[in-house]
Amino acid sequence: MDLLLVATPDGSEPGLSLLVDQAYRRGCTVVAVAPARTPITEAVDGAHGLFAPMATAPYDQDAPLAASAPGVLWALLTPLLALLDRAGLLAAPPEALQKVADRLDHVAERCGPAIATYNNPAKTLAADLADALPVIWTEGPTAGPAGRRFTAALAELAGRPALTAELPEALAAHSVLLSGALAAGADPDDFFRDRVEEAQALHARVVLLRDRPTGGLSAAPAARELALSHDTAISELEPEEGGELETLAEMIAITDFAAVYLALASGA
């Protein structure tokens, strides 16, 4: 191991400073992105490493930040992307990062609180998941990380469980789940349920996150067929055209907004 990259919104995790020290003793270069004035900064200085303070909004200076809090990901990831681009490990030149920023601004305009639900993909997704167990299926290289991020955000921000899997493996992994007690048609008496006195049963809802197809086979048609064959509703999110970082940014931003709207609706 020649390089240790540390990215944390906290900086005081137990054992993190020890990890940095051990890496330095083994001749490893250390780079960290974290809040300023945290224990990790001293550890990186002691290891003669490179420390980049995480960008925070003025009102976030003294507040602990959740790893899934909106904005935290890009505050941590952007400096690392720039570093890895300079090191030649991946392609993330300044113009690509600018396109990511532009895409995030565009999503904020589409998904902000002032935009009505019928024109707001994040509010629409949050409404779809209000009384459902999200079953997140992903297809494509950027959809997978976005789906895992969405699962974490739902748990950490909204206190909502969710399942995630990549297509086509998800079809086999979740087939029994969709035909069991969580299926929308599992309770034939639900039609006669008293909507005032009786709580609605929790049913699965598939969320299909996928990159724009660039040719080749897609499991999306089979995914739709499986969901609908079990009377399971499905929500779909597909980003606009662009590079991988742009499409990743769009899917993460929309699902982050959706997780926040769910948290607000549930009082989490």
Side-chain angles (χ1 to χ4, degrees):
M1 183 173 66
D2 298 319
L3 176 65
L4 173 65
L5 299 177
V6 178
T8 170
D10 187 328
S12 61
E13 294 91 337
L16 198 56
S17 296
L18 179 61
L19 174 65
V20 170
D21 181 65
Q22 292 296 323
Y24 173 64
R25 292 176 183 274
R26 288 168 172 77
C28 181
T29 300
V30 178
V31 176
V33 181
R37 300 183 301 278
T38 54
I40 189 65
T41 63
E42 298 179 7
V44 174
D45 286 342
H48 303 286
L50 173 64
F51 175 77
M54 187 183 81
T56 57
Y59 51 82
D60 286 336
Q61 293 290 343
D62 300 318
L65 298 173
S68 295
V72 169
L73 173 67
W74 294 105
L76 293 172
L77 186 58
T78 302
L80 294 180
L81 288 173
L83 172 69
L84 294 174
D85 176 73
R86 293 288 296 272
L89 298 177
L90 55 76
E95 54 269 23
L97 297 181
Q98 182 59 53
K99 289 181 179 179
V100 168
D102 292 341
R103 184 67 65 97
L104 292 173
D105 286 342
H106 179 56
V107 172
E109 292 173 356
R110 295 170 57 205
C111 299
I115 307 302
T117 300
Y118 56 83
N119 280 331
N120 189 321
K123 285 185 178 180
T124 299
L125 181 57
D128 289 344
L129 299 178
D131 296 305
L133 171 68
V135 179
I136 302 166
W137 292 348
T138 66
E139 183 177 59
T142 60
R148 293 189 291 273
R149 159 79 180 187
F150 190 27
T151 300
L154 286 170
E156 192 164 357
L157 300 180
R160 299 287 298 274
L163 301 174
T164 185
E166 295 187 10
L167 293 173
E169 292 80 8
L171 302 180
H174 292 160
S175 177
V176 175
L177 182 148
L178 295 184
S179 59
L182 292 174
D187 184 5
D189 295 326
D190 185 69
F191 179 81
F192 303 100
R193 175 176 57 85
D194 188 321
R195 264 53 180 175
V196 176
E197 299 293 335
E198 300 178 38
Q200 181 176 345
L202 184 67
H203 295 309
R205 185 183 184 99
V206 171
V207 179
L208 179 58
L209 304 180
R210 59 193 298 257
D211 298 343
R212 283 186 171 271
T214 56
L217 298 176
S218 170
R224 297 186 190 100
E225 182 178 353
L226 176 63
L228 297 178
S229 68
H230 293 296
D231 296 323
T232 300
I234 184 169
S235 302
E236 297 193 35
L237 179 60
E238 186 174 298
E240 298 177 3
E241 293 182 358
E244 287 191 355
L245 283 176
E246 292 173 76
T247 57
L248 175 65
E250 179 176 342
M251 284 191 284
I252 287 178
I254 292 176
T255 51
D256 273 358
F257 268 107
V260 170
Y261 287 135
L262 271 173
L264 292 173
S266 63

